[in-house]
Amino acid sequence: MGTAPAVVAGDPPSDADAGALAGYLRAQATEFLRALRRHRESGASGASGAGAPGGGTGAGTSAPGRAAPPADDVDAVRALRRAARRISGTLHTFQPLLDAGWAEEMRPELAWLSGTLALEHAYASRLERLLQALHRLSGSAAFPAPRPVGRAAATVPAGVPAPARPASPDRGSLTVGAAKAGALLDRQLTLARTRAHSTALQALGSSRFHAVADKVALLASEVPLRATGRPDRGPAPATSASASGPGTAPVDLRPLAAAAEERLTDAVTALPLVAAGSPYNAQALVHGLSPDPAPHPQDAPWHQVRLLLRLHRYALEALAGADAGDAGGTEAAVDVRLLAAGEALDRHRDASEAAAAAAQAARTPRIAPATAYALGVLHADQRHEVEAARYAFQHSWRKEPIRLP
């Protein structure tokens, strides 16, 4: 079985390791503040351009009947989430080297922020995915066309329908129920998206968010490292990246990064990669089609691996130095195999959540049998996508590591 790129814990420690950690955190904090400034500027211009409050949204996508936000706002919110995730993940992996109280206080706040900002985009992407699947499965254009999300939402006018596709006469009942199934999904997910949009706006205007932004602003200038060589003692914040001095040992980030790699490797080892080695896993599909309304327990370990893979990537970026915090340097510091594996797990998560949304819609009371049938076919299609993503992950994971130049 393939393993993640090795982080050798026995390598000689470097005096620059503490500086690399501090530089990486400062770079991410700077990116957070830069994205926040871009969001505020684009939000203000979007509101004046739309002629109504909220024209530039905080969550990066347009609500129904509202002008799409500027592309700069979409990119700014995405960068805000990305920086918050990286700071939070780095604090988790290297917490023994940081002020314990400060790190434990910052991590949940950053997780709250990135999760809140991601909700609206997640609902919009889920609706787009499901409607596109209905188009593909039924060939019908009689139900709501997928609304563009992300950058496409900033360039495509709202209400422009997707190109019509002729319905295939041999799809029978699926075509009959597809229109009502699409309309039902559109109502449910658009309502959830609108609520997530309001929640994001409230979050960005709350005192809780301003407190987080203030702490990130301080992080951009000073990283509260513990005294070097004393990771297991009480907090002793250092005002500079390299706190080495007489009688102190240099900080080595590699053991903590290796621990993050080991957690990932153990979690991948526990996955049923033998079953995922087949592009069609009938046994997993049968379990995934069970009537249980709760998320299927088979998906949880894969979601956990996705989170651990992100933590491992962030640890490698921190080891690469402060330059890895830039937009171009971040990707260059990572094995391309990890990127492919992460993309497969992202598709796994998206398909799993889309299947759950289709199943939830099918449980709506008093829907027509043809509508329930179309939703059932859609649910099965997304569970097939889940299995395809698992196959893609194991295919990427077993390959030999390939480093970007």
Side-chain angles (χ1 to χ4, degrees):
M1 178 184 300
T3 57
V7 179
V8 182
D11 288 348
S14 169
D15 290 329
D17 281 346
L21 174 60
Y24 181 75
L25 286 172
R26 283 198 300 266
Q28 294 304 324
T30 301
E31 178 62 24
F32 181 99
L33 298 174
R34 184 182 298 117
L36 179 58
R37 182 173 62 252
R38 287 170 50 200
H39 161 70
R40 288 172 174 169
E41 293 172 351
S42 61
S45 62
S48 59
T57 67
T61 53
S62 59
R66 181 178 298 171
D72 285 346
D73 189 45
V74 176
D75 292 339
V77 174
R78 184 183 297 113
L80 198 64
R81 297 200 315 261
R82 182 172 59 244
R85 286 198 308 266
R86 277 173 162 78
I87 296 173
S88 177
T90 304
L91 297 185
H92 175 81
T93 301
F94 299 105
Q95 182 171 348
L97 302 179
L98 299 162
D99 181 281
W102 173 83
E104 291 174 0
E105 184 180 358
M106 277 287 289
R107 279 183 45 236
E109 295 302 290
L110 291 168
W112 160 77
L113 176 62
S114 61
T116 301
L117 295 182
L119 278 179
E120 184 185 356
H121 178 77
Y123 284 123
S125 299
R126 196 171 306 156
L127 177 60
E128 180 186 32
R129 180 186 187 93
L130 288 170
L131 294 185
Q132 285 181 346
L134 275 175
H135 273 287
R136 171 171 49 83
L137 293 168
S138 69
S140 173
F143 49 87
R147 290 191 178 95
V149 296
R151 294 186 179 181
T155 56
V156 179
V160 175
R165 297 176 57 187
S168 177
D170 60 348
R171 290 180 179 173
S173 298
L174 179 59
T175 303
V176 172
K180 291 185 177 180
L184 178 60
L185 288 169
D186 184 69
R187 287 196 303 271
Q188 292 184 349
L189 292 177
T190 298
L191 176 61
R193 175 186 177 185
T194 303
R195 289 173 175 170
H197 173 80
S198 299
T199 301
L201 288 180
Q202 292 173 2
L204 289 174
S206 66
S207 58
R208 183 179 182 182
F209 170 74
H210 289 298
V212 174
D214 290 342
K215 292 177 181 178
V216 173
L218 292 176
L219 179 64
S221 59
E222 178 181 338
V223 178
L225 296 171
R226 288 188 178 184
T228 5
R230 301 174 51 187
D232 55 343
R233 301 187 185 179
T239 57
S240 62
S242 56
S244 312
T248 61
V251 172
D252 188 5
L253 306 183
R254 292 172 181 80
L256 295 175
E261 178 190 3
E262 184 178 355
R263 288 191 293 270
L264 170 63
T265 303
D266 291 344
V268 173
T269 303
L271 293 176
L273 289 185
V274 175
S278 171
Y280 177 79
N281 184 0
Q283 181 179 5
L285 183 62
V286 169
H287 289 300
L289 296 177
S290 66
D292 186 0
H296 196 274
Q298 278 195 358
D299 294 340
W302 295 85
H303 296 331
Q304 180 66 16
V305 168
R306 175 177 170 272
L307 296 177
L308 292 174
L309 180 61
R310 275 189 170 182
L311 291 177
H312 176 54
R313 284 182 51 196
Y314 301 159
L316 292 181
E317 292 172 9
L319 287 178
D323 290 340
D326 298 333
T330 296
E331 300 301 331
V334 182
D335 180 358
V336 294
R337 187 190 59 162
L338 291 183
L339 296 178
E343 290 174 357
L345 292 175
D346 286 343
R347 293 196 302 272
H348 176 276
R349 188 244 354 235
D350 293 343
S352 172
E353 293 179 348
Q360 181 65 34
R363 287 188 286 272
T364 302
R366 298 183 297 278
I367 59 174
T371 305
Y373 172 76
L375 290 170
V377 173
L378 182 59
H379 176 259
D381 174 75
Q382 293 304 301
R383 292 307 306 183
H384 276 293
E385 294 291 332
V386 167
E387 295 307 314
R390 293 179 183 180
Y391 175 76
F393 170 78
Q394 70 85 26
H395 187 68
S396 299
W397 187 260
R398 293 173 184 270
K399 285 184 177 179
E400 292 297 323
I402 301 176
R403 297 278 184 172
L404 288 172

